[in-house]
Amino acid sequence: MHLKRVIPCLDVDAGRVVKGVEFVAIRDAGDPVALAAHYDAEGADELIFLDITATHEKRETIARLARRAADEVFVPFTIGGGIRSVADAQAVLDAGADKVSVNSAALARPQLLDELANNFGAQCVVLAIDAKALAARDGDGDGEPGAGRWQAFVAGGRTPSGRDAVQWAREAEGRGAGEIMLTSMDRDGTNEGYDLALTSAVSEAVGIPVIASGGAGELPHLVEAVQAGADAVLCASIFHYGHYTVAQAKSSLAAAGIPVRLPA
């Protein structure tokens, strides 16, 4: 039985977990490793740390975070932010991370995905896609909007890449990405639910797991994302600010008939 996963996400800035709305209006949410240990104890399947700190010493910053996390948590965890080379990934994996996440660097040089997969295996490579919906167009002249389209953004969601998000996910799979972390910029931090059309479009386009991200505010949103094709749901503010526990999230999924690993 293929179990669906619940993954708390911790955006880290200057050593603290932060969370915003649509990538702005950032506020503090606590110490990353303390929160990670708490989620581990609650039954999280995995954890993702995304270091958004602006620093020239990025490799050591994220390696230090990986070492701290490895000492305190026992579930698999991914580190992203500033991974631009095989050497960057090696430092983080050597420090204890199970996977690395790449975004802007892979869009700038897609061969990075090939290099990471060849060196560490696809199971260690997560491609993060920050996607924003484009205005729908009437493609067949019937007066109705056309099919949804989304563009991938870089630089923490500040800069459009010009790449179609669904096509980029498909290419990334071919280059060796083992998983897609798919964040809707339109929904991120809004608590209005995941972008289900985006989740479905990417899930149907690739054969690798897709992690739905951006917008979870209520437990039914997690169920909807899995039903739209996601293999895992990424959650931040609903856990960080105490709205729900990991156990409650999993119980909600299980009640909807979705197979999950229930906490002991």
Side-chain angles (χ1 to χ4, degrees):
M1 182 180 297
H2 182 66
L3 301 179
K4 304 300 183 179
R5 292 166 290 154
V6 174
I7 305 177
C9 180
L10 302 100
D11 291 334
V12 182
D13 187 8
R16 300 288 292 179
V17 175
V18 296
K19 188 58 188 169
V21 178
E22 296 179 7
F23 285 44
V24 295
I26 304 297
R27 60 177 175 144
D28 186 272
D31 176 76
V33 176
L35 278 173
H38 172 71
Y39 297 142
D40 182 4
E42 279 196 339
D45 296 296
E46 297 183 22
L47 298 163
I48 293 181
F49 297 90
L50 300 177
D51 194 310
I52 62 175
T53 304
T55 173
H56 296 297
E57 300 175 349
K58 177 66 77 171
R59 184 188 299 177
E60 180 51 35
T61 299
I62 56 179
R64 188 181 306 118
L65 175 59
R67 283 193 292 271
R68 288 185 61 209
D71 286 341
E72 299 294 335
V73 303
F74 301 96
V75 293
F77 68 90
T78 300
I79 295 272
I83 306 288
R84 300 183 178 88
S85 66
V86 169
D88 290 340
Q90 186 76 66
V92 172
L93 294 171
D94 286 348
D98 297 273
K99 308 175 190 178
V100 294
S101 171
V102 291
N103 187 342
S104 300
L107 271 163
R109 193 173 68 85
Q111 295 88 341
L112 176 60
L113 293 170
D114 302 83
E115 295 165 4
L116 294 174
N118 289 337
N119 278 274
F120 308 115
Q123 77 282 353
C124 291
V125 183
V126 179
L127 176 70
I129 299 178
D130 295 333
K132 188 175 181 64
L134 301 176
R137 298 176 180 177
D138 179 9
D140 53 14
D142 64 357
E144 295 296 327
R149 293 181 59 225
W150 299 267
Q151 183 174 186
F153 276 62
V154 296
R158 293 185 295 273
T159 307
S161 70
R163 293 292 305 272
D164 178 85
V166 178
Q167 293 177 1
W168 172 226
R170 191 180 292 117
E171 178 183 340
E173 179 184 20
R175 289 184 175 276
E179 202 161 14
I180 302 291
M181 182 173 65
L182 181 64
T183 301
S184 166
M185 292 179 57
D186 303 299
R187 297 297 187 93
D188 186 69
T190 66
N191 296 331
E192 295 176 355
Y194 300 96
D195 186 330
L196 301 180
L198 171 63
T199 301
S200 179
V202 174
S203 298
E204 291 175 2
V206 300
I208 55 179
V210 172
I211 305 169
S213 170
E218 301 293 337
L219 297 182
H221 294 158
L222 280 60
V223 174
E224 293 168 355
V226 173
Q227 291 173 340
D231 289 86
V233 285
L234 200 71
C235 304
S237 57
I238 68 168
F239 292 153
H240 298 341
Y241 301 121
H243 301 306
Y244 297 103
T245 66
V246 173
Q248 287 173 326
K250 289 193 165 189
S251 293
S252 176
L253 290 167
I258 296 169
V260 293
R261 179 181 65 86
L262 291 172

